[in-house]
Amino acid sequence: MIRRLVTTLVVAALALVTRGPTVAAQSATDLLTTGMRSYQNLDYEAAAATLRKGLLRATSDTFSTPERLQALTYLGATELFRRRRDSAVAAFRQIAVTDPTYRPSAIIFPPQVTSLFQEVRQGTRTVFIRVPPETEFRARAERLTARLVASTPHDIAVAVTRDDGAVVNSLYSGPIDDSLAVTWDGTERGEAVKSGHYLLRVTSQAAAGARQLVRQLPLEIERARPDTQPWPSPGDATSPGVRSGPAVRSLAGGLAAAVAVVVLPSIVAHDADGIKGRFAVAAAIGGAGLASFFAQRSAPPLDVVAGASAAARDAAKRRLEDVRRQNAKALAEIRLRVRAGPATLLEQGAQ
């Protein structure tokens, strides 16, 4: 009996763990639907309580961004009709810092709601940054482009900084209307930046009495390795040599004959004059061998061979010069590989 009860409890617990995320997701969506229905029925107390509960329970996995913006819009409208204007402004402000293009439907919401939202949006000065997730460009010669979208026209300052806030390069300072494109050549004081962590920071000039909003985007920058070409093999640059086999054989034969004459037995000559004669003969034969060796070594090659050798040398020199020029260009150009992370929003100053 006890074993059966324990088994039943374990199965029930596993079922709850497995179904937990699904139930939470359904609950968040159901609460949003219920809150919208309460608003439409003019039951603002129930609508406010239900919408807040749904927003607290929802996460990025259970609530999409459009659903969250919709819930905040209904919550802001509900709080406005409950005569809690500050709460309505807080809800609309969350929308303004999340999506600069969002607008409440004028068909669903009355003018007092849309007018308050417009007022809050204009007072919430912030910028949204759009940068490709990964970019590679040549420092100084090319640019990293960031597109900025403003919640409302205002003045901004754009800079690339380090994590500690030290400015690497100031990119722009001035007004922004709806959108603006800013570029960076990947340099700090004219030199390509080193690999490391950087921030693209956009500081919005705050309205009177409002907090200053700073949108920052992390940039992971890595210097790419130069794309150099391999050098030509040494054999490509050497000219074909003259074949020395016959010349060496002539020299060896002459020297061998000369040695043989020197060591001939006495039948060739028995006196001193004979010895002198043998050396004279050896010298003559050896000299003939040397003459034949140098003659064959210095003999000019055939015209066809000479022309082919010169053309090969010229082609090898051209290849070597091309590779040298391409490698010098590749080494002079520093390529930066940039990976952009998710943007965050900082608030500075007190309201």
Side-chain angles (χ1 to χ4, degrees):
M1 182 68 180
I2 296 177
R3 181 178 299 177
R4 183 179 301 174
L5 178 60
V6 171
T7 303
T8 303
L9 291 175
V10 170
V11 172
L14 290 175
L16 288 175
V17 171
T18 304
R19 296 176 54 193
T22 304
V23 172
Q26 292 175 346
S27 298
T29 304
D30 290 344
L31 288 171
L32 172 59
T33 303
T34 303
M36 292 168 54
R37 188 179 300 114
S38 298
Y39 171 84
Q40 294 166 355
N41 294 332
L42 307 182
D43 188 355
Y44 299 128
E45 295 294 332
T50 306
L51 290 170
R52 288 189 181 279
K53 187 181 298 183
L55 287 168
L56 289 174
R57 185 170 300 180
T59 64
S60 59
D61 295 331
T62 59
F63 244 17
S64 65
T65 299
E67 287 177 326
R68 183 173 182 273
L69 296 179
Q70 188 179 34
L72 287 170
T73 305
Y74 274 95
L75 178 61
T78 298
E79 296 292 14
L80 179 63
F81 291 125
R82 292 178 67 201
R83 301 183 184 278
R84 300 181 60 178
R85 192 176 188 278
D86 290 345
S87 298
V89 169
F92 289 156
R93 189 174 183 276
Q94 291 187 55
I95 299 174
V97 299
T98 302
D99 186 352
T101 63
Y102 180 85
R103 302 290 187 276
S105 172
I107 299 176
I108 298 176
F109 298 99
Q112 55 265 46
V113 173
T114 56
S115 297
L116 178 61
F117 178 85
Q118 182 70 4
E119 178 184 336
V120 172
R121 188 180 66 85
Q122 291 179 349
T124 306
R125 299 180 178 181
T126 186
V127 168
F128 301 83
I129 308 173
R130 295 175 180 173
V131 174
E134 292 191 13
T135 308
E136 184 172 326
F137 66 99
R138 294 177 297 163
R140 292 186 294 268
E142 297 175 342
R143 300 289 189 273
L144 171 69
T145 301
R147 181 173 175 80
L148 310 180
V149 181
S151 60
T152 186
H154 62 284
D155 289 336
I156 61 172
V158 186
V160 176
T161 71
R162 293 188 174 84
D163 289 338
D164 59 2
V167 176
V168 173
N169 201 323
S170 295
L171 306 183
Y172 177 78
S173 180
I176 180 174
D177 293 327
D178 292 333
S179 63
L180 179 70
V182 295
T183 61
W184 178 44
D185 63 358
T187 65
E188 178 182 9
R189 298 176 182 176
E191 297 296 330
V193 296
K194 298 180 180 180
S195 300
H197 301 276
Y198 298 86
L199 293 172
L200 177 61
R201 292 170 58 96
V202 182
T203 303
S204 298
Q205 181 178 344
R211 295 187 180 94
Q212 186 177 58
L213 300 180
V214 179
R215 188 85 59 173
Q216 58 183 24
L217 186 79
L219 301 176
E220 180 72 23
I221 299 180
E222 177 186 2
R223 282 192 176 191
R225 298 182 62 180
D227 187 15
T228 56
Q229 301 294 324
W231 295 105
S233 61
D236 295 341
T238 58
S239 59
V242 180
R243 297 181 61 184
S244 59
V248 173
R249 286 194 295 271
S250 297
L251 176 60
L255 293 177
V259 172
V261 170
V262 172
V263 299
L264 281 176
S266 58
I267 58 173
V268 177
H270 298 281
D271 54 7
D273 293 336
I275 295 175
K276 293 179 180 179
R278 281 185 291 167
F279 278 104
V281 172
I285 295 175
L290 287 172
S292 177
F293 172 80
F294 286 110
Q296 294 188 53
R297 285 286 293 178
S298 60
L302 296 176
D303 293 341
V304 176
V305 176
S309 300
R313 286 195 300 270
D314 292 342
K317 289 180 180 178
R318 286 194 298 271
R319 286 196 299 271
L320 184 63
E321 187 60 32
D322 289 343
V323 172
R324 182 182 291 111
R325 184 169 52 253
Q326 293 174 8
N327 287 349
K329 182 179 179 181
L331 292 173
E333 294 178 347
I334 299 177
R335 300 191 67 86
L336 301 178
R337 188 176 294 114
V338 182
R339 295 181 178 87
T344 57
L345 185 67
L346 302 179
E347 295 190 15
Q348 299 177 347
Q351 188 170 6

